[in-house]
Amino acid sequence: MRKIELYDTTLRDGAQSEDVSFSVEDKLRIAEELDGLGIHFIEGGWPGSNPRDVEFFQKAKKLRLKNSSLAAFGSTHHASNKASDDPNIKSLLRSGAPVITIFGKSWDFHVSHALKISRAANLDLISNSVSYLKKRVTKVFFDAEHFFDGYKANPEYALLSLKAAAEGGADLLVLCDTNGGMLPQDIGEIVKSVALNFSVPVGIHAHNDSDCAVANSIMALESGASHVQGTINGLGERCGNANLVSIIPNLKLKLGYDCVSLQNTKKLKVVSRFVTEIANLRHFKRQPYVGDSAFAHKGGAHVNAVLKHSGTYEHIRPELVGNYRRVLVSDLAGKSNVLMKAKEYNLKIESDSPKIKNIVRELKELENQGFQYEGAEASFELLMKKQLRLHKKFFTLIGARVIIEKRKEGEEPISEATIMVEVGGKTEHTAATGNGPVNALDNALRKALEKFYPQLKDVKLLDYKVRVLTAGKGTSAKVRVLIESGDEEHKWGTVGVSENIIEASWQALVDSIEYKLLKG
Amino acid sequence: MRKIELYDTTLRDGAQSEDVSFSVEDKLRIAEELDGLGIHFIEGGWPGSNPRDVEFFQKAKKLRLKNSSLAAFGSTHHASNKASDDPNIKSLLRSGAPVITIFGKSWDFHVSHALKISRAANLDLISNSVSYLKKRVTKVFFDAEHFFDGYKANPEYALLSLKAAAEGGADLLVLCDTNGGMLPQDIGEIVKSVALNFSVPVGIHAHNDSDCAVANSIMALESGASHVQGTINGLGERCGNANLVSIIPNLKLKLGYDCVSLQNTKKLKVVSRFVTEIANLRHFKRQPYVGDSAFAHKGGAHVNAVLKHSGTYEHIRPELVGNYRRVLVSDLAGKSNVLMKAKEYNLKIESDSPKIKNIVRELKELENQGFQYEGAEASFELLMKKQLRLHKKFFTLIGARVIIEKRKEGEEPISEATIMVEVGGKTEHTAATGNGPVNALDNALRKALEKFYPQLKDVKLLDYKVRVLTAGKGTSAKVRVLIESGDEEHKWGTVGVSENIIEASWQALVDSIEYKLLKG
């Protein structure tokens, strides 16, 4: 089993993603997760470019990493400085990172147009910078920027830039597809010719602009490279970097390379979601291996087949990457899926019962209105229980009012909710404030009901999502609210849909409470 | 220039995506867009599987397609029927589509475990079905389900299944990576061996479970296939299908194949966004070629270089796919980007002015609070104008109140807003209702202001988005509201952030109105 080195640059290249901005604290937490996953090198930042990255390396000294070495990223020294006087080189050394990765130019066009120095001078910059650093840290990696474009334009010069780094003592020559436009066959051929020419190990750093970053990385590794750089979830500038969350299982589970342990591939989904949450993005449902849809089956025929033999429609066992199979509730699914869900919920229903038809009909009707049960299974379970007469009413709403009042520009408004409910002949009338109208309503409803149902005190609202459904209708658009609730043991999702966000939230809140009370 | 046939299955395989459900009307509109893009074949659905697809083919007869032929999808006839009696085959013919694509089994494991018939019987099913259909329609394509898995398990049998289809008269043999788990090198080798064995053209149908669908498709085309199947944006079950929006420019702009015209590649971004909107999804920012981030530059060094020579950090010219370059407002960008934006907005500011520092500082502060200007440039322009004292106040809020009242379970609540504003010493106090609290407030504010500023009558709210920012805080989480407004000439985006959705919406509404009034 050939060993492949994994180098993660989520904290540096990944932080260049549009919409992503990591705090130092975020970066430290991500570094710990990467270490837990068994990544060999973690590129923590570019200490010469911003104070946040300087602070990261300072604080990172306290991390107790078991598997990973930290790498600091920067450029070769500036043409007008000596390496020893160069502020960028100094900040790299001050970072205290045992590995330093520096990038240099390997495309002659960039040397003359961006650096505006001679080709020979650029080669000196590279070898000087590498050899100066090599005497002072454990490992120096050389990132050959625009290597593939450079090689296509002038292969001799591109190889000379690698030679300069190798002569300076570089431990690794990383071939970068900086613009991300390469296709797999080019990558394969070029990496092969480099690997034949150098005894220093070769790495690949791919971007996804032609939608081939994962394939390009695999192709490079199959063609002689032994080190791969990428980011969690493919975060990165423009179209992102090569996605390590896809590369790792491709290498380990399909090609049998030695990179992380089989125990660690099981962490991939968790790590992927963790980085998404920290970056405050949505997890991409169709993300290969770890997306929520990656092992979700919608069509009836597929569902039947997968339940018989998982290999029929699944390329790997989902557990291997910490994912799981899902059977989707959907208008394409029909009767057999409803029966399967009934079994899952422990509801007794004969397979020829007319109630199934009613459930399917109601489901379709509600889906047409914008309801969606894929993130709100508790609401679907309630829907089924209502049809099966297994539902009971725990309270009656007599009236509710929410008032939002703003008395001055620039001041947050006050939100107040009043509510009147009836439980078993007794009326409760109460009021509460909140950070916003939905929060106020939630507070008032709980206050009114906890008197009768003390078990509601255990329920917490964990997440609240709002989705505008009908684009192009301005503020009168329909919205769907998804609420995730939990008690000490379980989590459940509920849904509401209305043109009025308060009404949609109300529906989801009531479902959440009823679900809890039905569970007892 | 070798010609490649493009076959789109957005309306069939794409509709299997989780969260996607197309109406017949949606499908007809998408078909017209695909025709405009120059796609050769549009797979409209599986008429044997659901009434919606039957209706689609009925209504599609009225479409005036210029470039595309419609294809209907279905399976080989059932083992217990003759082809002429098979309901699936009948519904395919009833669809009236000139092209029929039928799938059959080429993996012996599926023949024995799913169909539960002999291997020879399966070959008969394939050739019978193809030859029966071939006499009745223009073209019959054979989709060899699980071809690559089948070939790896039993290459002889997999090839026999293709032979059966070829003998039946199939016009095309489509090799399907149904489970989506293949890697490019396998695809290349297997397609080569098939193309050598058959004179019938070969196609590729890839899924993205190993994150290589685009590369696998390209590899197949480079290895002898001449027909590629995929979907817009890679929609599809599990991790989706091969993304035609990436494949087309890779083929046309990079490999020089003849597939769509250069005029049509320019429509890619529009078509991609159109399908996203119809599917009611978010457009993926990092999507190769057409994503909003695909040519967005954040880092200062990149920005400078790209402005000098676009080839330095861009793999193609963005206009070629209907996209454009963007320079991002962001905390990593700093001074040079603020100056560039000032120029874009026609604001005079010296490059050494201390006001720039103030703008950068305020921007950072607001971004920390959750503001984001990447979809709300009008709010950013207002922020700059405020710092540059180019902003003027058009009205003062004296007070606003929104009341949402629900008097009965199952009834939509009533939303009413009252507002008092002052303009040039005059006070206006008015009220309005709406479909929800934000709509009511919007209506009341416009009603109050249109008296003083009649030009506001031209302004329409085009889109309204809500994003919950802080996960895990239930209904008291912070939300960001993005509003898109437009008049007859322009569109602009504004933003608001608060724990109170009404307040966040208020901020974005006010920015939108101020932006319009400042433009005059």
Side-chain angles (χ1 to χ4, degrees):
Chain A
M1 270 202 315
R2 196 153 71 92
K3 182 163 163 92
I4 303 287
E5 272 179 6
L6 303 170
Y7 183 105
D8 179 280
T9 177
T10 306
L11 304 180
R12 206 268 308 166
D13 245 5
Q16 298 282 327
S17 285
E18 190 170 357
D19 296 351
V20 169
S21 176
F22 293 130
S23 68
V24 172
E25 206 46 52
D26 292 340
K27 289 181 132 198
L28 293 166
R29 289 174 68 194
I30 292 171
E32 285 179 318
E33 289 291 317
L34 294 170
D35 180 56
L37 183 59
I39 296 291
H40 307 103
F41 300 97
I42 300 173
E43 189 169 86
W46 184 346
S49 82
N50 67 74
R52 189 150 44 175
D53 286 2
V54 173
E55 194 187 332
F56 168 80
F57 283 104
Q58 252 161 18
K59 293 199 171 159
K61 287 172 188 159
K62 288 192 189 141
L63 291 177
R64 294 195 188 160
L65 303 179
K66 284 176 198 149
N67 303 301
S68 309
S69 302
L70 280 178
F73 177 86
S75 69
T76 52
H77 72 80
H78 197 273
S80 60
N81 297 328
K82 283 193 210 160
S84 56
D85 298 333
D86 190 80
N88 175 54
I89 298 277
K90 280 184 180 171
S91 65
L92 282 170
L93 291 171
R94 262 199 306 270
S95 76
V99 179
I100 288 181
T101 300
I102 53 167
F103 73 94
K105 304 283 184 197
S106 55
W107 187 359
D108 56 354
F109 169 77
H110 271 256
V111 174
S112 42
H113 285 78
L115 291 186
K116 297 183 177 174
I117 58 175
S118 75
R119 296 173 188 198
N122 177 54
L123 299 178
D124 284 345
L125 284 187
I126 294 171
S127 61
N128 284 344
S129 301
V130 172
S131 70
Y132 181 82
L133 289 168
K134 181 61 192 166
K135 290 180 197 119
R136 287 159 179 87
V137 293
T138 317
K139 281 176 194 256
V140 177
F141 293 167
F142 177 67
D143 267 13
E145 202 193 19
H146 288 112
F147 182 78
F148 296 94
D149 291 301
Y151 187 94
K152 283 185 153 191
N154 184 343
E156 290 85 344
Y157 190 76
L159 292 172
L160 282 176
S161 74
L162 298 182
K163 193 162 167 254
E167 286 173 357
D171 296 284
L172 179 74
L173 305 172
V174 184
L175 313 183
C176 301
D177 180 17
T178 307
N179 293 5
M182 291 291 134
L183 297 176
Q185 286 191 315
D186 279 334
I187 296 271
E189 284 164 25
I190 296 175
V191 172
K192 244 177 226 161
S193 80
V194 171
L196 283 175
N197 273 292
F198 289 92
S199 58
V200 180
V202 170
I204 178 74
H205 176 107
H207 284 259
N208 200 35
D209 298 73
S210 59
D211 215 351
C212 293
V214 167
N216 285 347
S217 304
I218 301 281
M219 192 57 103
L221 297 171
E222 298 264 78
S223 307
S226 59
H227 167 112
V228 58
Q229 305 198 342
T231 62
I232 300 300
N233 302 334
L235 290 180
E237 197 170 27
R238 303 190 315 274
C239 308
N241 288 54
N243 187 352
L244 285 180
V245 178
S246 300
I247 290 173
I248 291 170
N250 279 340
L251 294 180
K252 180 74 184 176
L253 305 177
K254 303 208 159 165
L255 297 168
Y257 286 118
D258 175 16
C259 52
V260 305
S261 70
L262 276 176
Q263 251 167 333
N264 283 348
T265 60
K266 289 188 183 139
K267 298 178 187 165
L268 281 166
K269 175 150 184 159
V270 171
V271 173
S272 168
R273 290 204 78 108
F274 179 84
V275 171
T276 304
E277 286 306 317
I278 294 284
N280 199 10
L281 298 170
R282 287 186 174 198
H283 203 248
F284 185 47
K285 283 197 163 183
R286 294 205 312 272
Q287 185 170 334
Y289 290 103
V290 298
D292 282 345
S293 300
F295 300 93
H297 302 279
K298 200 169 177 179
H302 281 206
V303 168
N304 290 333
V306 156
L307 292 176
K308 277 191 226 153
H309 296 282
S310 75
T312 50
Y313 290 97
E314 287 175 352
H315 66 132
I316 60 155
R317 282 189 294 120
E319 311 84 74
L320 292 175
V321 290
N323 211 340
Y324 43 88
R325 181 178 309 140
R326 290 165 61 227
V327 172
L328 301 180
V329 178
S330 129
D331 65 341
L332 285 176
K335 199 177 137 181
S336 69
N337 287 5
V338 168
L339 274 171
M340 206 170 306
K341 284 289 166 191
K343 208 172 147 193
E344 200 180 311
Y345 303 152
N346 262 323
L347 303 176
K348 274 179 199 146
I349 182 166
E350 299 303 317
S351 66
D352 53 356
S353 160
K355 286 174 186 164
I356 293 184
K357 231 183 183 172
N358 294 341
I359 292 170
V360 171
R361 196 186 310 123
E362 196 182 346
L363 187 58
K364 279 190 187 180
E365 170 56 29
L366 289 166
E367 284 191 335
N368 269 339
Q369 286 173 33
F371 280 83
Q372 196 161 64
Y373 294 95
E374 286 156 6
E377 289 237 351
S379 286
F380 182 64
E381 192 173 332
L382 286 175
L383 183 158
M384 284 183 79
K385 285 186 172 165
K386 279 177 195 165
Q387 283 292 340
L388 299 172
R389 309 271 160 90
L390 296 169
H391 179 262
K392 98 176 218 216
K393 207 160 166 53
F394 292 94
F395 66 93
T396 308
L397 177 78
I398 302 178
R401 185 191 294 127
V402 185
I403 299 178
I404 307 117
E405 195 155 4
K406 188 176 167 84
R407 280 287 148 218
K408 221 175 171 182
E409 284 188 6
E411 240 177 34
E412 287 280 325
I414 291 165
S415 301
E416 183 196 60
T418 60
I419 197 159
M420 196 190 282
V421 291
E422 195 209 287
V423 178
K426 282 184 194 163
T427 301
E428 178 72 15
H429 193 181
T430 186
T433 56
N435 287 329
V438 179
N439 187 232
L441 188 64
D442 178 29
N443 290 341
L445 180 63
R446 285 154 175 280
K447 198 170 156 188
L449 292 177
E450 277 173 12
K451 212 171 161 177
F452 305 100
Y453 305 109
Q455 65 267 47
L456 290 177
K457 282 181 189 150
D458 300 340
V459 179
K460 286 199 169 41
L461 283 179
L462 302 173
D463 201 3
Y464 173 74
K465 291 201 172 90
V466 182
R467 175 89 196 276
V468 178
L469 293 180
T470 38
K473 292 183 74 185
T475 53
S476 76
K478 229 179 201 184
V479 294
R480 177 168 61 225
V481 166
L482 285 173
I483 285 180
E484 194 181 65
S485 312
D487 57 19
E488 277 153 26
E489 288 165 43
H490 299 101
K491 283 184 183 184
W492 59 94
T494 54
V495 61
V497 172
S498 167
E499 281 184 344
N500 188 322
I501 189 169
I502 308 295
E503 170 65 17
S505 306
W506 170 262
Q507 294 167 6
L509 283 172
V510 169
D511 269 10
S512 169
I513 286 170
E514 289 195 340
Y515 182 83
K516 167 72 180 175
L517 295 176
L518 269 173
K519 290 279 164 189
Chain B
M1 269 200 316
R2 195 154 71 90
K3 181 161 163 93
I4 303 288
E5 272 179 6
L6 303 170
Y7 183 105
D8 179 280
T9 178
T10 305
L11 304 180
R12 206 268 308 167
D13 245 5
Q16 298 282 329
S17 285
E18 189 171 356
D19 295 352
V20 169
S21 176
F22 293 129
S23 69
V24 172
E25 206 46 52
D26 291 341
K27 290 182 132 198
L28 293 166
R29 290 174 68 194
I30 292 172
E32 285 180 316
E33 290 290 316
L34 293 170
D35 180 57
L37 183 59
I39 296 291
H40 307 102
F41 300 98
I42 300 174
E43 189 169 87
W46 184 346
S49 83
N50 67 75
R52 189 150 45 176
D53 286 3
V54 173
E55 193 188 335
F56 168 80
F57 282 105
Q58 250 160 19
K59 294 199 170 159
K61 287 173 187 157
K62 289 192 188 141
L63 292 176
R64 294 194 187 162
L65 303 179
K66 284 175 198 147
N67 304 300
S68 309
S69 302
L70 280 179
F73 177 86
S75 68
T76 52
H77 73 79
H78 197 274
S80 59
N81 297 328
K82 283 192 211 163
S84 56
D85 299 332
D86 191 78
N88 176 54
I89 299 276
K90 280 184 180 171
S91 65
L92 283 170
L93 290 170
R94 261 198 305 270
S95 75
V99 179
I100 288 182
T101 301
I102 53 167
F103 73 93
K105 304 283 183 198
S106 55
W107 187 358
D108 57 354
F109 168 77
H110 271 257
V111 175
S112 42
H113 284 78
L115 291 187
K116 298 185 177 172
I117 57 175
S118 75
R119 295 175 190 197
N122 177 53
L123 300 178
D124 284 345
L125 284 188
I126 295 172
S127 61
N128 284 346
S129 301
V130 172
S131 70
Y132 181 81
L133 289 168
K134 181 61 191 167
K135 290 179 198 119
R136 288 158 179 86
V137 294
T138 317
K139 281 177 194 252
V140 177
F141 293 168
F142 177 66
D143 267 14
E145 202 192 21
H146 287 114
F147 182 79
F148 296 94
D149 292 302
Y151 187 95
K152 283 184 154 191
N154 183 345
E156 290 86 342
Y157 190 76
L159 292 173
L160 282 176
S161 73
L162 297 183
K163 193 161 167 256
E167 286 172 358
D171 296 285
L172 180 73
L173 305 172
V174 184
L175 313 182
C176 302
D177 180 17
T178 307
N179 293 5
M182 291 291 134
L183 297 176
Q185 285 191 314
D186 279 335
I187 297 272
E189 284 164 25
I190 295 175
V191 172
K192 243 175 225 159
S193 81
V194 171
L196 282 175
N197 274 293
F198 289 91
S199 58
V200 181
V202 170
I204 176 76
H205 176 108
H207 284 259
N208 200 35
D209 299 73
S210 59
D211 214 351
C212 292
V214 168
N216 285 348
S217 304
I218 302 281
M219 192 57 102
L221 296 170
E222 298 264 78
S223 306
S226 59
H227 167 113
V228 59
Q229 306 198 340
T231 61
I232 300 300
N233 302 333
L235 289 180
E237 196 171 27
R238 302 190 315 271
C239 308
N241 288 54
N243 187 352
L244 285 179
V245 177
S246 300
I247 289 174
I248 291 171
N250 280 339
L251 294 179
K252 180 73 183 175
L253 305 176
K254 303 209 158 165
L255 297 168
Y257 286 119
D258 175 16
C259 51
V260 304
S261 70
L262 276 176
Q263 253 167 329
N264 282 347
T265 60
K266 288 186 184 143
K267 298 178 186 164
L268 281 166
K269 175 150 183 158
V270 171
V271 173
S272 167
R273 290 204 77 108
F274 178 84
V275 171
T276 305
E277 286 306 317
I278 295 285
N280 200 9
L281 299 171
R282 289 185 172 199
H283 203 249
F284 185 48
K285 283 197 162 184
R286 294 205 311 274
Q287 186 170 333
Y289 289 103
V290 298
D292 282 346
S293 299
F295 300 93
H297 303 279
K298 201 169 178 181
H302 283 205
V303 169
N304 290 334
V306 156
L307 292 176
K308 279 191 225 151
H309 297 281
S310 75
T312 50
Y313 290 97
E314 287 174 353
H315 67 133
I316 60 154
R317 281 188 295 120
E319 310 85 74
L320 292 174
V321 290
N323 211 340
Y324 45 87
R325 181 179 307 138
R326 290 165 60 228
V327 172
L328 301 180
V329 179
S330 130
D331 64 341
L332 285 177
K335 199 177 135 180
S336 69
N337 287 5
V338 167
L339 275 171
M340 207 170 305
K341 284 289 167 191
K343 210 172 145 193
E344 200 179 312
Y345 303 151
N346 262 322
L347 304 175
K348 273 178 202 149
I349 182 165
E350 299 302 317
S351 65
D352 53 356
S353 160
K355 285 174 185 163
I356 294 184
K357 230 183 180 170
N358 293 342
I359 291 170
V360 171
R361 195 186 309 122
E362 196 181 346
L363 187 58
K364 280 190 188 181
E365 170 56 27
L366 288 166
E367 284 192 333
N368 269 339
Q369 286 173 33
F371 281 82
Q372 194 160 65
Y373 294 95
E374 287 156 5
E377 288 238 351
S379 286
F380 182 64
E381 192 173 332
L382 286 174
L383 182 158
M384 283 182 82
K385 283 186 171 165
K386 279 176 193 164
Q387 283 292 338
L388 299 172
R389 308 272 158 89
L390 296 169
H391 180 261
K392 107 178 211 214
K393 207 161 165 54
F394 294 91
F395 66 93
T396 308
L397 177 79
I398 301 178
R401 184 191 294 127
V402 185
I403 298 178
I404 306 117
E405 196 156 3
K406 188 175 168 85
R407 279 288 148 216
K408 221 176 171 183
E409 285 187 4
E411 239 176 37
E412 287 279 325
I414 291 164
S415 301
E416 182 196 60
T418 60
I419 197 159
M420 197 192 284
V421 293
E422 194 208 288
V423 179
K426 282 184 193 161
T427 301
E428 178 71 16
H429 192 179
T430 188
T433 56
N435 287 329
V438 179
N439 188 232
L441 188 65
D442 178 29
N443 291 341
L445 179 63
R446 284 153 176 279
K447 197 170 158 190
L449 292 178
E450 277 174 11
K451 211 170 160 177
F452 305 100
Y453 304 111
Q455 65 267 46
L456 290 178
K457 282 179 188 153
D458 301 340
V459 179
K460 288 200 166 40
L461 284 179
L462 302 173
D463 201 5
Y464 174 74
K465 292 202 170 88
V466 182
R467 174 88 197 274
V468 178
L469 293 180
T470 37
K473 291 183 75 186
T475 53
S476 76
K478 230 181 201 184
V479 294
R480 176 167 61 226
V481 166
L482 285 173
I483 285 181
E484 194 179 63
S485 312
D487 55 20
E488 277 153 26
E489 288 165 42
H490 298 103
K491 282 184 183 184
W492 58 94
T494 54
V495 60
V497 173
S498 168
E499 282 184 343
N500 187 323
I501 190 167
I502 309 294
E503 170 65 17
S505 306
W506 170 262
Q507 293 167 8
L509 283 173
V510 169
D511 269 11
S512 169
I513 286 169
E514 289 195 340
Y515 182 83
K516 167 73 180 174
L517 296 175
L518 268 173
K519 291 279 163 185

